Amino acid sequence: MVNIPHYYHPNVSMENLCKLHGWGIREFPRRVFDAVLFNNEVDMVTIRWKELYPLITQFVLLESNSTFTGLAKPYFFAISRDQFKFVEPRLTYGTIGGRFKKGENPFVEEAYQRVALDHLLRIAGIQDDDLLIMSDVDEIPSAHTINLLRWCDDIPLKLHLQLRNYMYSFEFLWDHKSWRASVHRYRMGKTRYAHYRHTDLLLSDSGWHCSFCFRHISEFVFKMKAYSHYDRVRFSHYLNPKRIQDIICKGADLYDLIHEYHTFKEIIGNMGPIPHSYSAVNLPSYLLENADKYKYLLPGNCRRESEVRS
């Protein structure tokens, strides 16, 4: 990929920031739509939406009563919707019934849900040249990155965002190679919501990707079963709560393969468990402002709760 240098400082004017990137500045900012498929990541979507709230025209969220692997699940967002009154006036929410086809490749169900998200975006009123953020819930663009892209003129039609890759919490930073999140200047009839490579252009240091960053051990188990790569959870002992807790605190191998583009086998082979990071600098502001509530995501707090409490 072609890495685009990313310039930012809060004391530098937007006009100069755009100029540093080789772009002009607009008379008014573009509208921005943030669209996600939701599984059960209540804390992570809260942190995401609080980070982006001042900049977003419509938050678009779709959830299913089925995981990609065909497991039945509740509509978790609907259950927790009272927690999201702060976005309600700007929320386009949709549900879709799972197809529950046994033996089917999980990526088929995932693709089916992403097509439904395209439809929900049109219901939300997206128009040509609006900005569309395509990323998983846990791939969080920084607010200043999205603000740059909505104010600058002549930005690329498609742009991937390089995110810092964290595992389990913001204590375990293991690389800067997350690239699947992307921002698009929407084109009616041409833009399709997808989670693959759209372009070679990659804007450096544009946010955070916090994988398997859950409060409860039960959520880790659910995610491992629900994940599109559930076939990679090869032995039942991988789902043992004590084993999962020990691995979280070590920053070690949760199971054979977590990301389609990276294997823990490669990471562990090269460097052992992910080193602990004790920096909480330049993390999402809402996370730090509510550190007591989200303590488990911050350095030095690896212990998890075993069950989700009502």
Side-chain angles (χ1 to χ4, degrees), residues 145-157:
T145 296
I146 300 305
N147 202 34
L148 176 80
L149 297 175
R150 75 186 190 124
W151 271 107
C152 294
D153 218 355
D154 305 317
I155 66 170
L157 289 173

Side-chain angles (χ1 to χ4, degrees), residues 38-57:
F38 185 81
N39 190 24
N40 67 329
E41 312 94 334
V42 172
D43 283 356
M44 203 54 58
V45 81
T46 303
I47 293 167
R48 177 195 184 97
W49 284 357
K50 288 287 188 177
E51 173 73 13
L52 297 174
Y53 179 79
L55 312 173
I56 303 300
T57 306

Side-chain angles (χ1 to χ4, degrees), residues 40-44 46-47 83 168-169 210-221 223 244-245 248 286-287 290-298 301-310:
N40 67 329
E41 312 94 334
V42 172
D43 283 356
M44 203 54 58
T46 303
I47 293 167
Q83 300 178 34
Y168 310 138
S169 72
C210 200
S211 295
F212 282 77
C213 292
F214 297 117
R215 182 185 296 271
H216 305 96
I217 295 295
S218 56
E219 292 173 282
F220 284 85
V221 174
K223 175 73 171 182
I244 292 172
Q245 178 62 82
I248 293 166
Y286 183 76
L287 171 62
N290 297 272
D292 288 343
K293 182 176 181 180
Y294 299 107
K295 190 175 181 181
Y296 74 97
L297 290 173
L298 296 171
N301 299 282
C302 66
R303 303 302 301 177
R304 296 299 199 268
E305 300 172 38
S306 58
E307 296 295 334
V308 176
R309 294 183 181 136
S310 59

Side-chain angles (χ1 to χ4, degrees), residues 112-164:
Y112 166 72
Q113 292 186 25
R114 294 193 188 279
V115 169
L117 190 51
D118 275 328
H119 179 67
L120 195 60
L121 276 163
R122 291 191 291 274
I123 292 173
I126 197 166
Q127 298 174 7
D128 282 341
D129 210 42
D130 289 339
L131 287 187
L132 171 59
I133 303 170
M134 294 187 193
S135 70
D136 288 347
V137 169
D138 59 8
E139 297 169 334
I140 305 174
S142 62
H144 70 78
T145 296
I146 300 305
N147 202 34
L148 176 80
L149 297 175
R150 75 186 190 124
W151 271 107
C152 294
D153 218 355
D154 305 317
I155 66 170
L157 289 173
K158 303 174 184 178
L159 188 63
H160 281 286
L161 304 180
Q162 183 187 58
L163 309 179
R164 302 178 196 175

Side-chain angles (χ1 to χ4, degrees), residues 51-238:
E51 173 73 13
L52 297 174
Y53 179 79
L55 312 173
I56 303 300
T57 306
Q58 278 289 306
F59 297 93
V60 182
L61 183 145
L62 178 72
E63 73 171 331
S64 174
N65 62 348
S66 166
T67 69
F68 295 153
T69 52
L71 298 175
K73 75 174 189 68
Y75 289 116
F76 285 113
F77 184 84
I79 293 169
S80 307
R81 191 162 177 170
D82 283 350
Q83 300 178 34
F84 298 97
K85 290 180 179 177
F86 69 99
V87 300
E88 197 68 41
R90 288 189 260 158
L91 175 63
T92 301
Y93 169 68
T95 60
I96 185 171
R99 291 153 64 252
F100 298 105
K101 294 196 174 182
K102 291 184 179 180
E104 186 176 68
N105 188 318
F107 289 108
V108 176
E109 178 67 28
E110 183 175 353
Y112 166 72
Q113 292 186 25
R114 294 193 188 279
V115 169
L117 190 51
D118 275 328
H119 179 67
L120 195 60
L121 276 163
R122 291 191 291 274
I123 292 173
I126 197 166
Q127 298 174 7
D128 282 341
D129 210 42
D130 289 339
L131 287 187
L132 171 59
I133 303 170
M134 294 187 193
S135 70
D136 288 347
V137 169
D138 59 8
E139 297 169 334
I140 305 174
S142 62
H144 70 78
T145 296
I146 300 305
N147 202 34
L148 176 80
L149 297 175
R150 75 186 190 124
W151 271 107
C152 294
D153 218 355
D154 305 317
I155 66 170
L157 289 173
K158 303 174 184 178
L159 188 63
H160 281 286
L161 304 180
Q162 183 187 58
L163 309 179
R164 302 178 196 175
N165 251 329
Y166 293 88
M167 192 65 65
Y168 310 138
S169 72
F170 291 99
E171 180 170 351
F172 297 103
L173 172 63
W174 51 276
D175 69 21
H176 295 257
K177 296 180 180 179
S178 178
W179 59 267
R180 288 183 179 270
S182 59
V183 176
H184 300 243
R185 290 166 56 185
Y186 191 81
R187 293 185 293 169
M188 195 68 68
K190 294 184 178 180
T191 302
R192 295 286 181 267
Y193 194 98
H195 200 231
Y196 52 64
R197 185 164 174 166
H198 298 274
T199 176
D200 291 336
L201 299 177
L202 182 68
L203 184 62
S204 299
D205 201 6
S206 296
W208 314 269
H209 182 192
C210 200
S211 295
F212 282 77
C213 292
F214 297 117
R215 182 185 296 271
H216 305 96
I217 295 295
S218 56
E219 292 173 282
F220 284 85
V221 174
F222 179 83
K223 175 73 171 182
M224 292 168 77
K225 290 180 177 179
Y227 193 57
S228 294
H229 305 311
Y230 182 45
D231 61 301
R232 293 164 186 167
V233 185
R234 293 170 188 153
F235 305 104
S236 60
H237 76 268
Y238 283 167

Side-chain angles (χ1 to χ4, degrees), residues 270-290:
N270 291 335
M271 54 183 271
I274 304 166
H276 294 258
S277 168
Y278 298 99
S279 172
V281 176
N282 293 326
L283 294 182
S285 61
Y286 183 76
L287 171 62
L288 298 182
E289 289 168 353
N290 297 272

